[in-house]
Amino acid sequence: MLVKEVVALAAETLGRSDLSGALGALEGEPDGELKSLLRCYNLIENEVALDFFPLKTSERFVPAQGKISYASFSFAPVNILKVMDEEGTPVRFGIMPTYLTVPEGSGEVEVLYAYSPPVKELGDETAFSDHISARLLAFGVASEFCITNRQFSEGAMWGRKYRDALRAAGIYRRTLSVRSRRWI
């Protein structure tokens, strides 16, 4: 699914067929409200990736003096989940502000990490092609777009639909609570 499809669906959801029509006839870079819709899409995709459905990948590195710089990762790491050696055995690691530490002499290691999606353009593929529907993302984009245009009541309505769609997809994190003790 393309970003352009999600943005067009969000425009149609808002009843703005003028924006979806302008999106279809767009040549070059978007401007005005189309640029705002694209920015809202990037915000929502980032929110879903960081808060609800983490994007995960693994890469192999050869540490230099027990350090792996975050700049050498393909994507911006948000959370390091696991580090394994060549045999698949877990390796102890430390997280520093600009690099990851592993014991010296570890050799090649595989790092499994969650990452933040890069900023997308209209012709790019969404980060959630398999798991998250275009409708869900369009609700979030519509909510963000309304709020940025000071349409707060409409933004709240689309925000509720967005959260309901996240809940229906099974990825909405509700606040956890511990039940109080009951004494007999």
Side-chain angles (χ1 to χ4, degrees):
M1 145 177 67
L2 294 176
V3 172
K4 188 176 191 176
E5 296 169 356
V6 175
V7 171
L9 183 59
E12 288 292 328
T13 300
L14 289 168
R16 297 289 307 268
S17 56
D18 60 322
L19 287 178
S20 62
L23 189 61
L26 181 68
E27 296 292 327
E29 293 294 315
D31 61 344
E33 289 184 316
L34 289 179
K35 187 174 183 178
S36 179
L37 272 173
L38 179 61
R39 185 185 59 78
C40 291
Y41 170 81
N42 282 312
L43 290 172
I44 291 299
E45 184 180 62
N46 200 19
E47 178 185 348
V48 171
L50 295 180
D51 296 340
F52 303 108
F53 190 74
L55 298 170
K56 299 175 188 172
T57 190
S58 64
E59 291 185 58
R60 293 191 170 278
F61 298 99
V62 177
Q65 301 167 348
K67 298 178 182 178
I68 303 169
S69 173
Y70 294 138
S72 61
F73 285 68
S74 298
F75 300 104
V78 174
N79 189 15
I80 306 295
L81 304 172
K82 189 187 299 186
V83 178
M84 298 174 291
D85 63 9
E86 295 159 338
E87 290 85 35
T89 308
V91 174
R92 288 180 307 134
F93 63 92
I95 298 174
M96 300 298 174
T98 59
Y99 59 89
L100 180 70
T101 62
V102 294
E104 286 197 41
S106 295
E108 186 178 64
V109 294
E110 182 176 356
V111 180
L112 175 67
Y113 64 97
Y115 64 91
S116 176
V119 175
K120 302 282 190 332
E121 296 297 325
L122 288 172
D124 294 340
E125 192 75 22
T126 64
F128 305 107
S129 295
D130 298 339
H131 302 53
I132 305 296
S133 70
R135 178 178 166 266
L136 187 152
L137 291 172
F139 285 157
V141 172
S143 171
E144 194 70 32
F145 184 76
C146 286
I147 290 171
T148 58
N149 287 324
R150 296 186 176 122
Q151 299 169 335
F152 299 115
S153 60
E154 280 187 57
M157 187 235 354
W158 290 117
R160 278 191 302 276
K161 287 184 177 275
Y162 168 62
R163 285 187 302 278
D164 289 344
L166 282 171
R167 192 175 293 113
I171 58 173
Y172 184 72
R173 287 188 188 166
R174 58 188 167 88
T175 56
L176 298 177
S177 62
V178 178
R179 295 182 70 187
S180 64
R181 287 185 171 262
R182 298 224 165 86
W183 302 100
I184 298 180

